[in-house]
Amino acid sequence: MPTPTLLVLDAEPLPRLGRLTGRAHVEHTDAAGLAERLPRADVLLVWDFTSRAVRDAWPGEGPRPRWVHTASAGVDHLMCPELAASDTVVTNARGVFDQPIAEYVAALVLAMAKDLPRTLRLQRERTWRHRESRKVAGSRAVVVGSGPIGRAIARTLQALGVTTALVGRAARTGVHGPEDLDRLLSRADWVVAAAPLTERTHGMFDARRFGMMQPSAHFVNIGRGQLIVEDALAEALDKRWIAGAALDVFATEPLPPDSPLWRSPDLIVSPHMSGDTIGWRDELGAQFVELYALWEAGEPLVNVVDKRRGYVPGH
């Protein structure tokens, strides 16, 4: 059999693929060269998971790779109707980011409950101002998204004594369905968006949903920026409909300097880093090499995405 061609949509630093020497003919491309090289590839590794180049290049002429792997949990950046309708298998990086993101969410909850952003600001101003903070244990959270990341967040918050409800695409044991979301939002102290981006979830957190949250509630988004209507969140913060928020993902990244979110009161902005711990790229590369071994041997792949739904089913 000829050596398979592995095409990598590059981002710096490049993945470490030395273990595939002699097992794959590795080619590299940027977004501009993707369409030309796709017909020659057996496998596509989307290492640049911020790029939408696959969506643009996939509908072109010629053969397409039999397998596409993205080094990310979300797949919305690469899915297009032509890829969804094809026989190409799509896999993601499920499992790499679960616990790091859960720890990040827990850190945000603790920081907001203990008013740490204001403490740091007052320290810089050399101002001594005694305040009272909130107790986390005994509070309530709702985590929207019942996949591995959502479940890891729920476990971590529960370890802090937070009563946590999971909301998923459909109700099942231990998971609420969408029909329960509004009721849960109205009682939650912490609302965490961890859902994949689909037609159902796009813009699900809008003015109506921010309006039904408690004035003392805090909102956290580590899922996708398009899960929320950003102007509605800015208004909710400006009008004190909710107590605060933390966003790690945005509709446009990097967040433009003129975005009103930069000026929103009691909002923590972070640059899409909640899952990026030291060594995370090496983990992503090692995960791909393990998947390649399965594909090479003709064995079933894991982390296979349901291309119609936009996520890995079974959770």
Side-chain angles (χ1 to χ4, degrees):
M1 281 185 63
T3 303
T5 296
L6 166 61
L7 180 62
V8 182
L9 180 58
D10 284 343
E12 294 292 341
L14 297 178
R16 298 184 181 182
L17 301 175
R19 290 165 57 190
L20 297 184
T21 300
R23 298 163 57 191
H25 174 62
V26 180
E27 295 186 2
H28 295 267
T29 186
D30 57 11
L34 181 61
E36 178 184 352
R37 293 175 180 270
L38 265 182
R40 301 196 300 270
D42 297 294
V43 179
L44 173 64
L45 169 58
V46 184
W47 190 249
D48 184 2
F49 52 81
T50 65
S51 172
R52 296 173 65 87
V54 175
R55 295 175 64 101
D56 298 331
W58 195 271
E61 297 293 330
R64 289 296 179 259
R66 292 172 283 161
W67 169 35
V68 173
H69 177 77
T70 178
S72 61
V75 298
D76 50 278
H77 60 290
L78 58 85
M79 293 305 300
C80 61
E82 292 81 3
L83 175 53
S86 72
D87 294 331
T88 297
V89 176
V90 176
T91 57
N92 72 354
R94 179 186 184 191
V96 172
F97 301 106
D98 305 356
Q99 191 55 36
I101 291 178
E103 293 171 3
Y104 199 87
V105 170
L108 290 171
V109 167
L110 289 169
M112 291 187 288
K114 304 308 176 184
D115 204 21
L116 292 185
R118 188 167 305 169
T119 294
L120 294 173
R121 185 167 66 249
L122 291 171
Q123 178 182 341
R124 289 192 296 271
E125 297 170 358
R126 302 185 183 186
T127 300
W128 182 281
R129 184 179 301 162
H130 180 269
R131 290 146 11 251
E132 294 177 345
S133 63
R134 299 181 63 178
K135 185 170 70 172
V136 171
S139 62
R140 293 179 176 180
V142 55
V143 178
V144 182
S146 59
I149 292 174
R151 295 199 303 271
I153 292 169
R155 288 193 303 270
T156 304
L157 293 180
Q158 287 165 352
L160 296 174
V162 180
T163 299
T164 305
L166 271 174
V167 177
R169 184 174 183 269
R172 55 194 182 278
T173 303
V175 178
H176 295 267
E179 63 277 3
D180 292 337
L181 177 57
D182 290 354
R183 174 178 60 83
L184 293 168
L185 286 180
S186 67
R187 302 187 301 172
D189 300 294
W190 315 100
V191 178
V192 182
L197 180 61
T198 67
E199 290 184 2
R200 285 188 172 193
T201 62
H202 192 285
M204 66 183 303
F205 289 100
D206 54 12
R208 183 183 72 85
R209 285 206 158 116
F210 288 125
M212 67 177 51
M213 295 180 193
Q214 299 184 95
S216 59
H218 288 76
F219 176 79
V220 177
N221 187 12
I222 49 77
R224 281 291 180 269
Q226 294 87 346
L227 296 178
I228 74 170
V229 179
E230 291 180 344
D231 289 345
L233 175 61
E235 182 182 19
L237 292 168
D238 287 338
K239 294 183 176 179
R240 306 292 180 182
W241 292 349
I242 62 175
L247 302 180
D248 186 56
V249 289
F250 302 88
T252 300
E253 296 182 1
L255 185 64
D258 60 351
S259 170
L261 293 174
W262 288 112
R263 303 184 298 275
S264 294
D266 298 305
L267 174 64
I268 298 174
V269 171
S270 58
H272 205 149
M273 58 180 284
S274 61
D276 301 348
T277 52
I278 294 170
W280 66 284
R281 290 184 179 87
D282 288 340
E283 288 188 53
L284 289 173
Q287 180 188 55
F288 174 74
V289 170
E290 291 174 4
L291 286 171
Y292 188 90
L294 294 176
W295 181 82
E296 185 180 39
E299 298 180 10
L301 291 169
V302 297
N303 290 8
V304 175
V305 173
D306 183 321
K307 294 184 290 183
R308 299 292 183 182
R309 295 183 182 180
Y311 56 86
V312 178
H315 49 67

